[in-house]
Amino acid sequence: MFNDTEKLRNLDWLGSVWRITTVNPAISSFELGIKEPHPAPFPEELAYRLISLFSKRGDMVLDPFCGSGTTNVIALGLGRETIGYDIEQKFIDIARNRCKGKGKFFCKSSEEMKELQNESVDLCITSPPYLRAVKYSDNPLNIGNLPESYSLLIKTFKEVYRVLQKNGIFCLNVASVAEKGFLNTFPFDLLYKCLEIGFKLRSSVIWDKGLLIKEWNLQHSEIAENHEYIWVLKK
Ligand SMILES: C[S@@+](CC[C@H](N)C(=O)[O-])C[C@H]1O[C@@H](n2cnc3c(N)ncnc32)[C@H](O)[C@@H]1O
């Protein structure tokens, strides 16, 4: 008998560049029957691969910025337990709905996850707000609205470190954001912050979101960056 990971041996997703089409929030909201979609969900396929690779049945999977609950619904489908945090009630409602009453959800900032005991989580997968790139709400406490978000993100990552089992895995999905015509170093800044906390870099994945050429790129002969990073960190 093969276990979940052995079944993956022949699949190209054991390579480190994953071509996965990005999610159109309008289409996902139509499928889920939701009027106001989450503006930045990640694809179910991404969560599926990471959960299959880095956890086993019965494990606890956490997403501290769970949004519409993509990590959580896939974790449940793969026979894992799951917990999600988001600061917006409207997103927690979507996540709970998608998970049909299963899993645990907390509508609060993940900077303090008092509900979780030390070393009680096997795998954490998350995608935080990319600075102020996306408007999630008018809530001044939403990280996506803060002029300076690094200190809060670091608090959450420290909490992730505390609640992860020894050798537990933290998959951090993050992309660069264009600012005044240049790309910032946000993904690399967060990677270094995580290393300072004590995580070790085990591997990284380039999530290739497919070709997206804009008129501006053609006119300026500029590369259209359309990939994100997944830092696979180990406690
Ligand atoms: C990139 S989205 C996550 C999307 C999610 N992966 C999905 O598939 O729907 C980031 C989320 O972080 C939430 N957020 C912002 N500040 C937060 C905080 N302090 N604590 C918890 N969640 C927060 C936002 O409301 C948003 O839903």
Side-chain angles (χ1 to χ4, degrees):
M1 284 292 272
F2 294 119
N3 64 30
D4 283 355
T5 316
E6 283 167 341
K7 280 187 212 152
L8 312 176
R9 276 193 179 142
N10 293 325
L11 298 181
D12 64 356
W13 41 279
L14 285 184
S16 59
V17 180
W18 293 352
R19 165 69 74 90
I20 303 175
T21 307
T22 190
V23 178
N24 178 335
I27 291 176
S28 69
S29 69
F30 176 73
E31 283 170 356
L32 298 169
I34 299 161
K35 278 196 196 126
E36 191 192 339
H38 190 283
F42 57 35
E44 293 189 356
E45 176 73 15
L46 199 67
Y48 184 87
R49 294 183 186 197
L50 296 170
I51 293 167
S52 304
L53 281 167
F54 300 121
S55 67
K56 55 185 190 315
R57 282 180 172 272
D59 275 358
M60 178 57 80
V61 181
L62 164 70
D63 190 336
F65 301 105
C66 72
S68 61
T70 312
T71 301
N72 312 98
V73 73
I74 298 299
L76 289 166
L78 287 168
R80 277 65 165 166
E81 307 279 320
T82 193
I83 296 172
Y85 284 79
D86 201 286
I87 201 159
E88 303 298 338
Q89 187 62 51
K90 61 184 177 183
F91 300 146
I92 289 289
D93 290 345
I94 298 175
R96 282 209 176 106
N97 230 348
R98 272 176 102 182
C99 293
K100 301 194 166 50
K102 293 191 181 149
K104 274 193 194 153
F105 292 94
F106 299 101
C107 182
K108 55 177 289 211
S109 172
S110 53
E111 74 202 82
E112 264 188 358
M113 296 189 275
K114 282 186 188 151
E115 300 75 12
L116 307 187
Q117 293 188 349
N118 294 354
E119 307 196 350
S120 58
V121 168
D122 301 287
L123 172 65
C124 175
I125 298 175
T126 205
S127 183
Y130 300 169
L131 303 171
R132 283 184 285 182
V134 173
K135 180 91 178 159
Y136 296 103
S137 72
D138 292 326
N139 181 350
L141 299 176
N142 193 303
I143 289 180
N145 292 329
L146 298 180
E148 191 285 304
S149 56
Y150 280 48
S151 41
L152 264 188
L153 288 169
I154 291 166
K155 279 188 177 175
T156 296
F157 298 160
K158 282 186 175 163
E159 278 290 86
V160 170
Y161 192 85
R162 176 183 69 78
V163 301
L164 265 182
Q165 300 273 14
K166 196 167 174 280
N167 295 322
I169 298 283
F170 175 28
C171 300
L172 178 60
N173 166 221
V174 65
S176 299
V177 182
E179 284 174 347
K180 295 180 189 154
F182 292 95
L183 284 178
N184 65 19
T185 57
F186 185 55
F188 309 98
D189 299 343
L190 291 196
L191 171 60
Y192 276 100
K193 298 291 178 202
C194 287
L195 297 180
E196 280 169 17
I197 290 169
F199 287 104
K200 294 181 188 68
L201 183 61
R202 175 169 153 171
S203 55
S204 59
V205 173
I206 302 286
W207 166 27
D208 170 8
K209 299 191 284 185
L211 200 59
L212 181 76
I213 301 287
K214 295 185 181 140
E215 196 57 33
W216 187 89
N217 298 98
L218 289 169
Q219 281 167 9
H220 295 82
S221 301
E222 280 278 355
I223 289 171
E225 178 156 316
N226 204 29
H227 66 265
E228 303 203 1
Y229 301 89
I230 297 154
W231 306 128
V232 180
L233 299 149
K234 193 169 185 175
K235 177 166 171 180

